[in-house]
Amino acid sequence: MQVEVWSDVVCPWCYIGKRRLERALEEFEHAGRVRVLWRSFQLDPSFPEGVGEPVYDALARKTGSSREQVRAMTGQVTQVAAEEGLDYDFAGGVMVNTFDVHRVLHLARERGLEERAHERFMRAQLVQARDLSDADTLVEVATEVGLEGREVRGVLAGSEYAESVRADVAAARELGATGVPFFVMERAFGFSGVQPVEVFVAALDKAYRAGRG
């Protein structure tokens, strides 16, 4: 049984959703038959490539809000994340264009490191406030999950996996996604946003039963 998850590493709700999916799988009796496939999505594809901007400044500019309003908004997300054991650092965070990160994540999939890479990049971005617009930092994080630095640099220097990233985004649009996280089970049942764990469990059970029927 396949579960596809469209997410972006700069999306705080995506990391929370990842944790809730993991908790749901712990409760799902057929979890051993589930394969989670991570797919690419960009929250803001128009953000300049190779540029890092403080998260508060980027969100204030994008939403037209003051830094105080942004701080309050992110504070609420931080509280929800903390309930999942995630210690977000928005104050030190850096907003980036994630296209290259997603290209490296596709490399990680080919090398059998998909799950570890998604976890590591989300943690680097949202918890550790690493600047993933910096190529050296991106390579360093990638090598921590077992990718070869030389191979990662080769990807970053070219256009490899660009079409794979675009194909993932297009597939999400075709399935009706307007944002992330976006979860699809067996290409039959799907929902957007962060839901309670019991909703994840019910969706997994529904998809599993439909597949066996």
Side-chain angles (χ1 to χ4, degrees):
M1 173 176 155
Q2 181 169 276
V3 176
E4 296 169 276
V5 186
W6 277 264
S7 69
D8 198 359
V9 298
V10 296
C11 167
W13 291 108
C14 292
Y15 205 0
I16 295 169
K18 183 176 186 295
R19 282 291 182 268
R20 292 194 181 174
L21 174 61
E22 291 166 351
R23 287 170 55 197
L25 287 170
E26 290 176 357
E27 299 181 18
F28 183 54
E29 62 178 322
H30 305 292
R33 299 187 178 184
V34 175
R35 183 202 173 196
V36 178
L37 179 63
W38 295 92
R39 294 200 177 278
S40 300
F41 194 93
Q42 285 192 278
L43 280 182
D44 187 2
S46 67
F47 194 90
E49 294 186 17
V51 173
E53 181 180 12
V55 166
Y56 285 164
D57 292 345
L59 291 178
R61 176 175 52 78
K62 184 174 181 178
T63 63
S65 305
S66 67
R67 284 178 59 89
E68 289 71 25
Q69 290 172 318
V70 168
R71 188 176 291 109
M73 176 183 66
T74 55
Q76 294 173 353
V77 181
T78 299
Q79 290 179 357
V80 177
E83 295 172 2
E84 302 298 333
L86 301 171
D87 185 16
Y88 282 175
D89 182 5
F90 287 111
V94 181
M95 186 65 69
V96 302
N97 183 298
T98 56
F99 193 78
D100 281 344
V101 177
H102 284 295
R103 293 200 297 125
V104 172
L105 288 170
H106 275 273
L107 169 65
R109 179 190 297 176
E110 284 196 357
R111 299 296 178 264
L113 299 168
E114 177 180 21
E115 170 60 30
R116 290 175 60 188
H118 269 83
E119 174 68 25
R120 186 66 191 90
F121 274 111
M122 284 184 166
R123 183 170 183 78
Q125 172 68 35
L126 295 164
V127 175
Q128 298 178 326
R130 305 287 295 275
D131 182 359
L132 298 180
S133 70
D134 177 72
D136 290 338
T137 300
L138 203 163
V139 171
E140 181 181 339
V141 174
T143 57
E144 289 174 6
V145 301
L147 291 172
E148 293 289 337
R150 182 180 300 178
E151 189 172 27
V152 175
R153 290 189 185 279
V155 168
L156 295 177
S159 59
E160 196 172 3
Y161 304 108
E163 288 306 314
S164 297
V165 175
R166 295 188 184 102
D168 276 357
V169 174
R173 301 296 190 194
E174 290 174 4
L175 290 168
T178 56
V180 285
F182 182 55
F183 303 87
V184 177
M185 285 97 176
E186 290 288 276
R187 286 289 172 112
F189 307 102
F191 55 86
S192 294
V194 175
Q195 304 294 332
V197 172
E198 53 267 28
V199 173
F200 281 92
V201 175
L204 288 166
D205 186 64
K206 185 177 180 181
Y208 181 80
R209 292 179 184 277
R212 289 180 63 84

